[in-house]
Amino acid sequence: RTSFFIVGIAAGLTTLGYTFLPETAKRTRVAPWERLIGQKDASFSQNNDCVDEKSDNIPSLSPREVYGQLIRNIDQQAIMMLNFAVYSSYAAMMSIVPLHVFNIMGDEATAGKVGLLFASGAMMGWIGAPSGGYLADRFGRKKTIFPSALLISCGIFSSTLGYVDDFQTLLPAIMLWGLGNSMTSPGMSAFAADIADNENIRGQALSLSRMAGDFAFLITPTCLGVLAQSTSCSTALQITSVVVLGANLTFAARATERTRDRYKRNN
């Protein structure tokens, strides 16, 4: 019970810290008649240098129409599918891995060792997250996301191999899994943001990817739990690995490469 109190206090302090963050979205006032027309007078904008170009990028569509256009975008569909798969791997990490550890380690699977496994996977984020962000900006989102997601599949699958029967052999698999997760996240977020036509709907584009991840958290733990109970934890993890691999291959086949320079040129 104490650990739950500690986590709750930490979450409260984090929420308090968020209140000190500066606002990054610039609000632009739009006259009522401009909302009805949907765009500003082009001649006025061209003849007045003082007009802020960003104010012309305000979408005239309603939020429902914006979301509809985003969902119909092939790149958005691909990144949402991959987000679902990656978040499913998170769900497997939380719901199946503890049971898997006890199955293969028996009485040696103490709470301390299970916690150390999770901490080791999270520790890889110190290397993977900044590396994934740099590579996504330097070489492209897709070129970074695809091999990083492959690491997730390899890490999950290697944790179920026959030679994995103790803490020492399971630890590298969990660390590889954590490395892939941390390297994938920056590129996926950047890719989802780049899909938006302009910065004023970037938050809506990112929300769809997060929604796909939340949907994975909603259904995956139950599905994997039933599967592990009817078969085994190893089978549940192997299927998770296949799901991530399939979504990753679909993303590689359907998504368009996006880089920061290309995004600027297209806008």
Side-chain angles (χ1 to χ4, degrees), residues 22 26 57 62 104 125 151 168 248:
K26 295 182 179 180
N57 292 330
S62 66
I104 65 176
L151 294 180
Q168 287 74 18
N248 194 23

Side-chain angles (χ1 to χ4, degrees), residues 20-67:
F20 295 97
L21 293 176
E23 180 57 71
T24 58
K26 295 182 179 180
R27 299 186 62 184
T28 305
R29 293 184 178 180
V30 182
W33 58 85
E34 292 172 348
R35 291 194 180 95
L36 292 175
I37 297 174
Q39 60 183 2
K40 293 188 175 181
D41 186 4
S43 61
F44 177 82
S45 300
Q46 292 175 358
N47 297 327
N48 289 272
D49 297 334
C50 61
V51 176
D52 186 4
E53 292 182 359
K54 290 185 178 180
S55 64
D56 295 333
N57 292 330
I58 298 175
S60 59
L61 301 177
S62 66
R64 182 177 180 179
E65 291 171 321
V66 172
Y67 279 120

Side-chain angles (χ1 to χ4, degrees), residues 97-120:
V97 167
L99 299 175
H100 181 60
V101 172
F102 281 99
N103 286 341
I104 65 176
M105 294 177 58
D107 295 336
E108 296 182 2
T110 63
K113 288 185 178 180
V114 174
L116 184 58
L117 284 173
F118 279 92
S120 300

Side-chain angles (χ1 to χ4, degrees), residues 232-251:
S232 67
C233 292
S234 295
T235 302
L237 291 174
Q238 289 170 356
I239 291 179
T240 303
S241 176
V242 172
V243 169
V244 175
L245 178 61
N248 194 23
L249 292 175
T250 302
F251 173 81

Side-chain angles (χ1 to χ4, degrees), residues 4-5 15 27 41 55 69 78 81 133-134 165 174 182 192-193 205 218 245:
F4 286 97
F5 281 116
T15 303
R27 299 186 62 184
D41 186 4
S55 64
Q69 288 189 0
M81 182 181 299
Y134 169 77
D165 56 0
I174 298 298
S182 60
L218 177 65
L245 178 61

Side-chain angles (χ1 to χ4, degrees), residues 144-167:
T144 303
I145 294 172
F146 179 72
S148 300
L150 283 180
L151 294 180
I152 300 176
S153 299
C154 293
I156 299 174
F157 192 81
S158 61
S159 68
T160 66
L161 297 179
Y163 71 89
V164 178
D165 56 0
D166 56 16
F167 179 83

